[in-house]
Amino acid sequence: MEEKKVLLDVKNLRTSFFTDAGEVKSVNDVSFHVNEREVVAVVGESGSGKSVTQLSVLQLIQSPPGKIIGGEVWFEGNNLLTYSKKQMCSIRGNGISMIFQEPMTSLNPVYTVGNQLTEVLRAHNKNMSKQEAWKRGVEALAAVGIPDPEERMKNYPFEMSGGMRQRAMIAISVACNSKLIVADEPTTALDVTTQAQVMELLISLVEKKGTSIIVVTHNLGLVTRYADRIYVMYAGRIVESGTTEMLLTNPRHPYTLGLLASVPRLDDNKNEKLVPIEGTPPNLANIPVYCSFYPRCPYACEKCKNEAAPELRPVGETGHFMACHLDVRGGNASA
Ligand code: SF4
């Protein structure tokens, strides 16, 4: 089997926010990687640290109060955490680009989409003429399925639908030939039909352009159909990771089981009742030394409260990891 080449390798990343309430450990010793031409999903509830992890990769954390306090972010052989602001500017767009839930927060409302596309292209390629950038912009809009791209270049963002704006954001990544696109809740603000179209468009870039994609989402159901591998995050840590098939057919962490039971899945035909995860995530300014899922975990036992938080460990097939003192298989827990 052909060995996959690692594109992004994040090691022991730690990011905190220093607030009046204390140190909020949003990203707590997180390691993950993305291979070339791979779709990776990072899944967790709001406040699990999944978005802060990606913002840290791109050094987009607002400082203060935020600070990356440890770790390494290797991209194409370089540790991005040693990069200056100027060096990071050259990585953003050409190397890694990020698209957000609401493109209106990224697109400037007072410039046309064409203006913004050509500006980004010329910022990354100083020798490119305005005409060439315009042509490349039109091609990029066409590539993401925007009809009548010449005319659409002249539109302001408010003249486009939400789905169209998200396509325009993806077009910027396409125009820049980004090797990695980080899509943070890319479809949450869209209706269900448009959600599927935007996801299909993102995934098509893997095949057509060799792009790798990280999809950050609270909706495990959304990504089961598209992701090659999944990282599940809880309270600033990764609690389970593996191929999508491993996590769907043999989930081992109680939180992953809870997520699977609580969301409808596109690949699930059964009319199974959805069961929400009771309780709320812990305060990240006051994370317990024991397992942070303890107060919500249906499998919790004395050991979980008396011992330090479990580390990620291999389980089952190669490439499957989880952080739990027990081993929950098919709903049955064993030590
Ligand atoms: Fe639940 Fe205990 Fe596992 Fe934590 S360590 S997830 S409390 S069973």
Side-chain angles (χ1 to χ4, degrees):
M1 204 164 87
E2 194 189 334
E3 186 145 345
K4 290 184 178 161
K5 203 167 160 202
V6 176
L7 179 66
L8 177 75
D9 197 4
V10 175
K11 295 179 178 172
N12 309 107
L13 185 65
R14 290 189 295 133
T15 302
S16 289
F17 290 84
F18 295 88
T19 70
D20 293 344
E23 180 184 354
V24 177
K25 294 180 178 174
S26 291
V27 181
N28 198 350
D29 202 18
V30 164
S31 300
F32 69 98
H33 73 275
V34 182
N35 294 320
E36 286 184 346
R37 293 175 169 266
E38 188 178 38
V39 180
V40 165
V42 181
V43 180
E45 286 166 292
S46 171
S48 61
K50 58 191 190 304
S51 296
V52 178
T53 301
Q54 305 309 324
L55 291 170
S56 303
V57 165
L58 277 164
Q59 290 194 40
L60 290 172
I61 294 296
Q62 189 180 346
S63 175
K67 192 169 185 208
I68 298 168
I69 52 177
E72 297 167 13
V73 174
W74 293 92
F75 180 71
E76 296 192 308
N78 299 303
N79 182 1
L80 300 187
L81 292 192
T82 65
Y83 270 28
S84 64
K85 280 186 179 163
K86 197 173 166 200
Q87 286 173 305
M88 278 311 295
C89 280
S90 68
I91 290 290
R92 293 188 207 114
N94 277 359
I96 309 174
S97 61
M98 193 154 179
I99 61 172
F100 296 93
Q101 176 176 335
E102 176 42 82
M104 278 304 261
T105 55
S106 314
L107 292 168
N108 191 326
V110 300
Y111 291 104
T112 63
V113 167
N115 265 333
Q116 296 180 62
L117 254 168
T118 51
E119 193 180 315
V120 171
L121 278 165
R122 295 185 76 214
H124 287 290
N125 193 338
K126 303 278 179 232
N127 299 324
M128 190 179 282
S129 68
K130 276 187 180 168
Q131 290 79 0
E132 173 64 14
W134 186 268
K135 188 168 155 269
R136 289 266 303 270
V138 172
E139 286 168 3
L141 288 189
V144 298
I146 292 185
D148 205 1
E150 272 283 357
E151 279 308 303
R152 286 298 185 180
M153 287 283 276
K154 299 170 199 159
N155 283 169
Y156 289 90
F158 73 85
E159 295 178 289
M160 293 178 149
S161 66
M164 196 80 86
R165 283 198 291 267
Q166 199 58 290
R167 282 175 187 269
M169 281 305 300
I170 297 170
I172 293 176
S173 307
V174 169
C176 291
N177 280 322
S178 302
K179 295 192 175 75
L180 173 65
I181 297 177
V182 181
D184 189 356
E185 302 279 7
T187 64
T188 305
L190 306 174
D191 63 70
V192 178
T193 315
T194 317
Q195 279 185 9
Q197 289 169 354
V198 168
M199 283 306 298
E200 298 284 352
L201 168 62
L202 275 171
I203 303 311
S204 72
L205 298 179
V206 178
E207 197 57 40
K208 285 187 197 154
K209 308 208 46 124
T211 316
S212 298
I213 316 262
I214 299 176
V215 183
V216 178
T217 182
H218 67 281
N219 186 351
L220 184 52
L222 177 78
V223 290
T224 51
R225 187 166 163 186
Y226 305 104
D228 296 306
R229 289 186 300 115
I230 295 176
Y231 290 90
V232 178
M233 278 191 80
Y234 188 77
R237 288 174 180 263
I238 288 168
V239 294
E240 185 159 8
S241 68
T243 64
T244 302
E245 194 184 348
M246 287 170 189
L247 266 68
L248 289 188
T249 58
N250 202 2
R252 305 292 263 270
H253 193 283
Y255 180 59
T256 312
L257 269 106
L259 282 180
L260 285 167
S262 65
V263 293
R265 277 167 33 195
L266 292 172
D267 62 340
D268 196 352
N269 295 322
K270 287 176 260 168
N271 275 332
E272 280 180 10
K273 205 171 154 201
L274 302 180
V275 185
I277 303 173
E278 298 291 338
T280 52
N283 177 356
L284 295 182
N286 194 12
I287 302 176
V289 289
Y290 50 84
C291 175
S292 51
F293 193 53
Y294 177 82
R296 307 172 75 188
C297 182
Y299 301 92
C301 58
E302 276 302 300
K303 182 179 181 176
C304 306
K305 182 95 190 256
N306 293 335
E307 295 192 8
E311 300 283 336
L312 272 178
R313 63 183 168 101
V315 277
E317 289 177 73
T318 309
H320 194 169
F321 297 85
M322 64 109 187
C324 174
H325 291 308
L326 306 183
D327 188 357
V328 182
R329 275 190 262 186
N332 299 312
S334 59

